[in-house]
Structure formats: C-alpha cells, structure tokens
Amino acid sequence: SVQQAHVVALPYNMLLSRSAREALGVSLKNSVVIIDEAHNLVDTILATHSALLDARCVTLLLDLVQRYFKKYWQRLRGSNVVHIRRTIALLRALDKYMRAVKTEDGGTPDVLVKGVNEFLHDAHADHINVFTIDRYLRESKIGRKLNMFADRQVGSNNDAEKRPRAQTAAGPQKSEIAPATAVAALEAFIAGIGSPDRTGARIVVRNGAHGVELSYVLLDPSEAFGELRREARAVVLAGGTMTPATDVVEQLLPRFGRLSRDTCSPAELMKLDPDNARLFSWSHVVSPSHICSLVIESGPTNTPLKFAFQDQQNTLRIRECGQALAALCNVIPGGVVVFFPSYALLSKMLSVWRENGIIERIARRKPVVTEDAQDVLSEYVEHVRGPHKGAVLLSVVGGRLSEGINFSDELGRAVVMVGVPFPSLASPELNERLTYYESIGQKPTMSTVARPAEQSMGPRARSLYESLCMRAVNQSIGRAIRHRGDFAAIVFLDAR
C-alpha cells in the first residue's frame, strides 16, 4: 500500500533511519520530502544516530553469546564462526574496559569524553573490524536466536548453565532485559563507532543506573541529512520558528557557510543556486498591533528578576516574581499560560508562593492549574470558559504543553516566560556539541577537547547556545497566537 500511495506521513525517526524506511518499503527516490517543524530536525538527527550501551547489556550478551557458541559451534558455517568469535572479542574488550572504569577511584568514575578512535584504542578494540560485526548482527538476526536460546535455558529446570539474564551493579537484584533488546543496543552502538567519519562524534563514559554506560554521541548531522538530500528529488524544511536559520544551515549543509536572509547580501544568497538550495522567509500573518511584548526586569519592590541557575534559590526574587505575576493576572483577561525553564524551578517557586500566600492571591482572580494535574487541559479550559472567565496554567518549557497545543483566543491572552531556558552546560553532550560547532571550518581533531564554560564560549558556540534557548522560547510563546485575528501579551519575567 505504501508503494501505491501519493502521500506518506512518517515520524522523524522512521524517515531518518534507512533500516526503518526499508522495512516499511518506503523509497525516497524521485520523492519530495517535506519536514514540518524543522527546527527540531538537527536535534532529532543527533538523537536518532546516537546510541547508549550499558554494562547490563554487555554482561548479558557476553554470557549468552559464549554459551550459544559453546553449544552450537559445530553446527555453524565457517563464516558464522568467525563473526561470532569477533563479536565475543569485542564484547570482552568492552566488558574489560567498563570493569576497569567501574573499579577505578572507588567505583565512581567521573564523566569521560573521548574521540571514537581514542576510545577504541583505550579499550584495545582498535584491531577489531566493527563494520563486519555490525553487518553480521543485522543480517543474521542473531538477536532472535539468542532470545529463544535464553528462554530455553531459563525454562530448563536444574540446568547447570542457568544464570540470571542481567545483574545490576547496585546489588543482587535481577533486572530482566530481552537479548533482542540488548542486541539492538549493541547494533546501534557499533553502527556509530563503525562510521567512516569519526571526527564528528564522541564517546561519553559515565556511571549510570545499570553500571557504566557508553554513549555514542553524534555531533555532525550533515552526513545523515545528506543521505536524504541525495536520494530525494527535493527536501523542504518548513517551520514557524526557523529564523535565524544560520546554525541550521551550517549544521545540515556545512559547505554553504553562515547563511541568513537577515545578514547575507543577494549575491551571497545566490551561492546556494549551484546546489539547488534556496532560503525563503515570510512575515507573520498576525498584525504587530495584536501582540504586546514586555520585558519586566524587576519586581514591585525594584528587586531585579534574574533566574540563572545560581539565583534559583533566592527566595526574595522568587517572591518578587510571584507578586509581579499576581499583578499581571489582575489586569489580563482570560487564560494566562506561564512557562518555567525547569520542573525544579517550578516546584521551588510553587513552594515559596504557597508559603507566602501568593498562590492564594492569584487564585482570587484566576484558578491556578499545574501541568502535573491529571486532566490538566480539560480543567484549564473549564475554568477559562466557565464562571471564572480565566485561569493560570503553570507549565515547563520543553514539557508536554510547550509544543503542539493550541491556546487560541481566550485560552491564551498572555504567555508569561519566567527565566530564560538555557540548556544546562553540565551536560557533556551539549558541551561537546558546542565545541564541535565552534570548530567547524577549522582543522578537526578526534582527541578530547576542553569543554566551553558559558563565560569562555567562542562566538559560534554562543550563537548556537542562544539559538537553542530561543527556539524553545519561540515554541512556548507561540502557543498563544494561533490565527490571524488572535491577540495576546508576551511577558518575560527576567532581566536577561
């Protein structure tokens, strides 16, 4: 039926995965691929082609593959014997490396970030052809065979070789995981480290819930996107929050350089023509008179409103923010949707506001609904359209209400943004991504590089860091302007 269809709708992860497209019978040849909400495309590509392999999976697979090989090696073809021996060698190398990291410094290793080649060298696996192992795992469907083998082993009473499927590092509890799931995790990890371009990726080693974790982190989405671009007749990236498009173009089409309609001359934009790439931008259909935007830098007692991470425990500023929100709710009709940078800050502010009677003050004018309510949308709509004629909805940027929800007309007469939702620089994956983006156009390196602190970021890394933040802001505040006749206030409660 897919081959007969004129229009095929796919989620991102299936479109971006060649194996998923092949399984569905979807071919991009001579097709026009339209990607909506394309501001998410880069992040989705990086997430789709990244992989996580933990000690639980490695321990399970090493045990099962060795027992499987011991029982059936005489029935296997010579080529399969070679492939299974290679797989066992790789699993042993990974297991030995994870155990060494795990027992170093009292069993709590710091987060380590390595280049792919550096990691393979440290794990003594650089002599193993991981590409052939990856192909064997996929083509042989060995995950299913191991699954059936494990079921027979577990189902056999008094079996001398019976062992737990997986053992967590935290204690003797059994943690069930299907061998097919573990094989899928291994396949994804091997597919990453077997990629020809290893400069645009890192291996992050950390202590996780199931022991040591190895994360393959893709940093360069251009190769994965290039596969779509080469196959399809045309690719259209569409979205309402694409501008500025500089970092998106640079990451997906790096050879085009820095590109933005706002900063490039017509002659520079013409550079796209040889590769049949065009950039279009249109003004919003909503009149500027329908939008009131405000930045409130201080509270009623002139205390600065600033909610960087180090300021989020400042109860004085939290009280001032609550008083400012209460004042806004006194004059804004209908529904007010408030977004916070994180669940932790939302929880902290709610606690302080309740202790100081601020929630009670707001509730006199508008009932307060939080995102964790059981039927949050129905409750909110009921208050706004019921006798109260209004309500306040407290939500989180990046949460379930920040994208794809329609707060049109009286459901969203104001969107209030508390703080600025910058991504956490405590994430090694984000730091490596920023460092890599800063280095685009410079000589690449596969060795571990210094992570950029916020104060020491280069201009390109800071541009990407701010762009990630503002796209999240744009998605959140866009919940309130849903048609040409709509109107709303956009209020930022942060001096930054």
Side-chain angles (χ1 to χ4, degrees), residues 60 64 67-68 143-156 159 162-163 165 177-180:
L60 167 68
L64 275 179
R67 288 191 286 132
Y68 177 85
R144 299 178 185 175
K145 299 173 184 176
L146 290 174
N147 227 14
M148 292 186 291
F149 176 72
D151 288 340
R152 286 196 297 266
Q153 293 285 304
V154 172
S156 300
D159 188 344
K162 182 180 177 183
R163 300 180 185 180
R165 287 193 176 185
I177 176 174

Side-chain angles (χ1 to χ4, degrees), residues 284-286 290 408-409 480-487:
H284 205 293
V285 297
V286 175
H290 288 207
S408 62
D409 301 318
I481 305 293
R482 308 306 297 175
H483 58 83
R484 186 167 188 168
D486 209 352
F487 60 92

Side-chain angles (χ1 to χ4, degrees), residues 134-199:
D134 175 46
R135 185 172 58 185
Y136 169 70
L137 293 176
R138 286 186 287 104
E139 293 179 356
S140 68
K141 310 295 184 185
I142 194 172
R144 299 178 185 175
K145 299 173 184 176
L146 290 174
N147 227 14
M148 292 186 291
F149 176 72
D151 288 340
R152 286 196 297 266
Q153 293 285 304
V154 172
S156 300
N157 294 326
N158 302 318
D159 188 344
E161 293 183 345
K162 182 180 177 183
R163 300 180 185 180
R165 287 193 176 185
Q167 187 80 14
T168 64
Q173 299 89 354
K174 293 182 180 180
S175 176
E176 292 295 329
I177 176 174
T181 302
V183 171
L186 181 65
E187 285 179 3
F189 186 78
I190 290 178
I193 63 177
S195 172
D197 179 19
R198 293 177 175 173
T199 61

Side-chain angles (χ1 to χ4, degrees), residues 82-90 120 124-137 190-191 193-195 198:
V82 172
H83 289 313
I84 291 182
R85 287 187 185 277
R86 286 176 178 166
T87 305
I88 291 174
L90 177 61
L120 291 174
H124 303 289
D126 48 351
H127 65 287
I128 301 174
N129 190 334
V130 294
F131 178 76
T132 58
I133 296 175
D134 175 46
R135 185 172 58 185
Y136 169 70
L137 293 176
I190 290 178
I193 63 177
S195 172
R198 293 177 175 173

Side-chain angles (χ1 to χ4, degrees), residues 18-29:
R18 173 181 286 274
S19 59
R21 295 198 305 270
E22 290 175 350
L24 293 170
V26 174
S27 173
L28 301 183
K29 187 176 180 181

Side-chain angles (χ1 to χ4, degrees), residues 199-325:
T199 61
R202 297 288 184 270
I203 302 294
V204 177
V205 185
R206 58 159 60 88
N207 195 29
H210 300 289
V212 175
E213 295 178 346
L214 303 176
S215 298
Y216 173 82
V217 181
L218 182 66
L219 305 175
D220 181 8
S222 61
E223 181 60 32
F225 179 72
E227 181 182 316
L228 295 183
R229 190 167 52 86
R230 288 188 294 269
E231 277 194 49
R233 179 178 181 180
V235 179
V236 180
L237 307 183
T241 55
M242 294 287 290
T243 303
T246 302
D247 66 279
V248 175
V249 173
E250 273 204 317
Q251 293 179 85
L252 297 178
L253 306 169
R255 67 180 180 277
F256 290 152
R258 298 183 68 79
L259 177 70
S260 170
R261 179 170 291 278
D262 301 329
T263 58
C264 291
S265 66
E268 290 173 318
L269 290 174
M270 288 296 291
K271 292 179 182 178
L272 292 177
D273 290 350
D275 290 277
N276 298 320
R278 303 287 180 90
L279 178 66
F280 300 94
S281 179
W282 292 272
S283 300
H284 205 293
V285 297
V286 175
S287 169
S289 64
H290 288 207
I291 303 172
C292 173
S293 57
L294 301 170
V295 177
I296 299 178
E297 300 185 11
S298 58
T301 63
N302 211 31
T303 299
L305 297 179
K306 183 180 178 183
F307 298 103
F309 181 77
Q310 62 271 20
D311 303 312
Q312 292 183 7
Q313 301 302 316
N314 189 317
T315 55
L316 176 60
R317 291 183 178 180
I318 292 176
R319 287 199 304 269
E320 287 289 286
C321 178
Q323 298 289 0
L325 179 60

